[in-house]
Amino acid sequence: MTTTRIERIHAREVLDSRGRPTVEVEVTCAGARPGRAIVPSGASTGTFEALELRDGGDRYDGYGVQTAVRQALAIGPQFVGQDASEQSRIDATLTELTKAWPTSPYASNAGERLGANATLGISLAVAYAAAEGQSIPLVEHLHQLWQQVFKAANAALLNQGMATSLLGRKPFMPLPMVNMISGGKHAGGNLDFQDYLIMPLGAKSYPQALEWIVRIYWRLGKLLTKAGYEGVLVGDEGGYGPKLKSNEEALNFVVEAISAAGLAPGKDVAIALDVASSHFFRDGTYRLAATGDQQLQAGDVIDLLEGWVDRYPILSIEDGLAEDDWLGWQKLTQRLGHRVQLIGDDLFVTNTERLREGVEKKVANSVLVKVNQIGTLSGAMDAMRLALESDYRPVISARSGETEDATIADLAVATGAGQIKIGSIARSERLAKYNQLLRLAENSEFPYYGRAIFRESKLS
Ligand code: 2PG
Ligand code: MG
């Protein structure tokens, strides 16, 4: 007989899509197959993210995670005998251990901290193990967990919100936000901005959305090659990494590719940007390098983005300003918040405290949700709940360093998050998620709403 009683926790070091070590955890419930999860890793990480513990030293140029694996193995026995379906309880223990760690008897060195890569590995694998123990699909188990979280949300606030008449209420297929051209820290080219993405608003189903995306991606590759650029080389997330002359040229190519695919820019397919601006923000100045050395203030960046929103079918802008530039963010939100989705990634780092501050200060209107930024599954769901209570849209996101682990595909559907950002449709660590979404889309109970997720807002 299978149960959800945890019998064994095992951890090991495996490699991610950049060849960097990461933590894999297996949690086994009595009589069931092991639940397994692998932790992702960012390159353009926010300063306020949970700690990703790396070994340092020479091995793997310091990227090893043997310490995090050792930590997961050390705390694993604490959970043996516990009920894997009680995710929030297990995650609360993980969070307490994280706080207490420097003085914990488990810590091997004084001052050592517990890695979020250790805690997240356990947290996600516990969810898989609970699904295995109940012989139900992961998506169903995650939906049960989400319902518990969502039930505790403030109903009055939820009903006031415009973003949330659909979001969070039942499982459905997310609108993908898909990387076409990569710059910033994810590609070797000279683009300052990190991601130029598309959103297939007008597709009637998820499989059709995916076919559109692939068609546009292939047309884009041809257009880049024809123009003498690198139309085959891809960045960390599978987006093309051409050495374009300017950030704006990337936008022009994406619009052209949408048209070349026989689709209408803006109507069928909108554009999204991840500016990832924390990474070119130094000493109060935004330093762009693509078109010579440009030193901009927040107001200049806002002007630039507003000009683009005027001229291009841009529906979403992520990290338009830097993680600490709250004043700039307020101005950005006043100027563009009614026209486009403004996502905080480095700004909020999936952290309810940061998000609460943002809501109070009226900055952004959407939050990127990355499980490893906060270190537990429950932490990510809490951020989603707060987002919906605050009328912010959650966007479930992968990291630039990923693996075959496709948990976030199930998570996005299970929570009715509305949107997902996985990278491009090249490289198998990305396709693992897109393909899992194809499997989930076979279930007629998971409809695809396309642009309707923005209904009641004036955005689309
Ligand atoms: C981001 C992510 C994914 P990284 O900035 O949104 O695109 O990148 O994982 O490197 O932080
Ligand atoms: Mg980002």
Side-chain angles (χ1 to χ4, degrees):
M1 214 191 79
T2 62
T3 71
T4 51
R5 195 175 56 79
I6 296 174
E7 212 172 53
R8 176 172 183 261
I9 295 192
H10 185 59
R12 65 172 68 85
E13 191 181 62
V14 296
L15 299 186
D16 74 9
S17 53
R18 283 189 275 248
R20 290 183 191 164
T22 188
V23 179
E24 174 173 273
V25 176
E26 279 168 9
V27 174
T28 313
C29 290
R33 290 193 316 179
R36 176 191 291 161
I38 314 179
V39 176
S41 167
S44 64
T45 45
T47 312
F48 305 101
E49 293 193 18
L51 170 78
E52 181 182 77
L53 195 65
R54 299 283 182 186
D55 296 334
D58 293 338
R59 190 173 164 275
Y60 282 113
D61 282 352
Y63 282 104
V65 292
Q66 286 181 331
T67 315
V69 166
R70 206 180 319 117
Q71 291 179 338
L73 290 170
I75 59 179
Q78 282 207 31
F79 299 102
V80 169
Q82 290 194 20
D83 185 346
S85 65
E86 290 192 19
Q87 184 79 40
S88 61
R89 197 167 145 217
I90 288 168
D91 287 345
T93 308
L94 289 169
T95 307
E96 270 161 37
L97 279 166
T98 303
K99 284 186 198 141
W101 194 261
T103 55
S104 155
Y106 297 121
S108 43
N109 296 309
E112 178 189 86
R113 289 171 61 202
L114 178 58
N117 35 358
T119 61
L120 182 68
I122 293 177
S123 180
L124 295 181
V126 160
Y128 274 98
E132 289 291 348
Q134 298 167 86
S135 302
I136 58 172
L138 180 70
V139 70
E140 205 178 311
H141 175 60
L142 291 178
H143 180 58
Q144 286 168 10
L145 295 179
W146 169 245
Q147 274 183 314
Q148 290 165 21
V149 175
F150 193 65
K151 238 193 295 166
N154 181 324
L157 288 179
L158 285 180
N159 292 335
Q160 271 168 25
M162 297 202 297
T164 52
S165 66
L166 191 61
L167 307 186
R169 298 197 182 250
K170 55 181 186 167
F172 66 92
M173 299 303 297
L175 175 70
M177 186 184 280
V178 186
N179 197 347
M180 293 286 110
I181 293 181
S182 298
K185 289 199 155 189
H186 292 175
N190 62 337
L191 298 179
D192 302 293
F193 293 6
Q194 183 177 283
D195 302 334
Y196 299 81
L197 314 101
I198 55 169
M199 302 166 80
L201 294 177
K204 295 282 174 289
S205 66
Y206 173 74
Q208 185 183 45
L210 201 56
E211 196 270 329
W212 283 12
I213 292 159
V214 172
R215 205 192 312 160
I216 295 165
Y217 182 78
W218 287 349
R219 297 296 176 275
L220 177 60
K222 281 204 179 117
L223 287 167
L224 289 169
T225 306
K226 211 169 120 201
Y229 291 120
E230 303 78 3
V232 285
L233 301 184
V234 301
D236 279 355
E237 299 196 59
Y240 295 116
K243 289 210 173 71
L244 299 180
K245 293 191 198 74
S246 70
N247 299 307
E248 199 160 348
E249 199 181 9
L251 282 173
N252 288 326
F253 268 112
V254 174
V255 173
E256 214 186 317
I258 296 170
S259 301
L263 296 161
K267 186 167 164 284
D268 295 323
V269 182
I271 291 185
L273 293 173
D274 182 359
V275 179
S277 62
S278 303
H279 303 283
F280 52 80
F281 182 68
R282 272 186 306 281
D283 308 325
T285 303
Y286 294 87
R287 291 156 196 265
L288 299 184
T291 43
D293 186 21
Q294 266 182 295
Q295 304 208 359
L296 305 181
Q297 295 307 302
D300 305 319
V301 178
I302 298 170
D303 288 343
L304 175 78
L305 293 173
E306 189 176 41
W308 285 6
V309 171
D310 288 340
R311 290 196 306 281
Y312 297 95
I314 294 174
L315 179 58
S316 181
I317 300 176
E318 178 179 329
D319 282 351
L321 292 173
E323 59 198 359
D324 269 331
D325 192 358
W326 291 104
L327 266 178
W329 262 101
Q330 282 178 324
K331 288 187 208 142
L332 173 68
T333 311
Q334 282 158 16
R335 285 267 287 281
L336 290 180
H338 59 292
R339 296 179 68 188
V340 289
Q341 171 167 269
L342 295 174
I343 310 175
D345 169 14
D346 291 351
L347 180 70
F348 295 140
V349 291
T350 319
N351 180 313
T352 47
E353 276 171 41
R354 300 270 308 173
L355 180 56
R356 202 164 281 126
E357 186 172 352
V359 171
E360 270 161 27
K361 293 188 164 140
K362 294 193 170 46
V363 308
N365 54 29
S366 173
V367 54
L368 209 69
V369 176
K370 291 168 163 171
V371 280
N372 79 323
Q373 280 182 332
I374 193 65
T376 63
L377 180 58
S378 302
M381 286 191 178
D382 287 345
M384 292 180 70
R385 183 185 100 178
L386 178 62
L388 294 177
E389 284 175 331
S390 315
D391 202 19
Y392 280 43
R393 284 177 214 84
V395 179
I396 305 276
S397 175
R399 301 306 309 242
S400 50
E402 276 290 338
T403 65
E404 64 270 32
D405 186 296
T407 315
I408 58 165
D410 294 86
L411 182 65
V413 174
T415 55
Q419 295 173 74
I420 193 165
K421 180 183 173 221
I422 300 167
S424 202
I425 37 71
R427 302 182 54 135
S428 285
E429 77 279 4
R430 314 285 142 194
L431 273 307
K433 283 80 161 168
Y434 287 115
N435 288 342
Q436 175 63 4
L437 287 171
L438 277 175
R439 291 177 203 111
L440 293 169
E442 285 181 353
N443 186 335
S444 58
E445 284 176 26
F446 303 152
Y448 179 78
Y449 291 117
R451 62 155 37 81
I453 62 155
F454 294 110
R455 75 183 183 199
E456 293 163 38
S457 73
K458 295 188 190 110
L459 295 188
S460 83

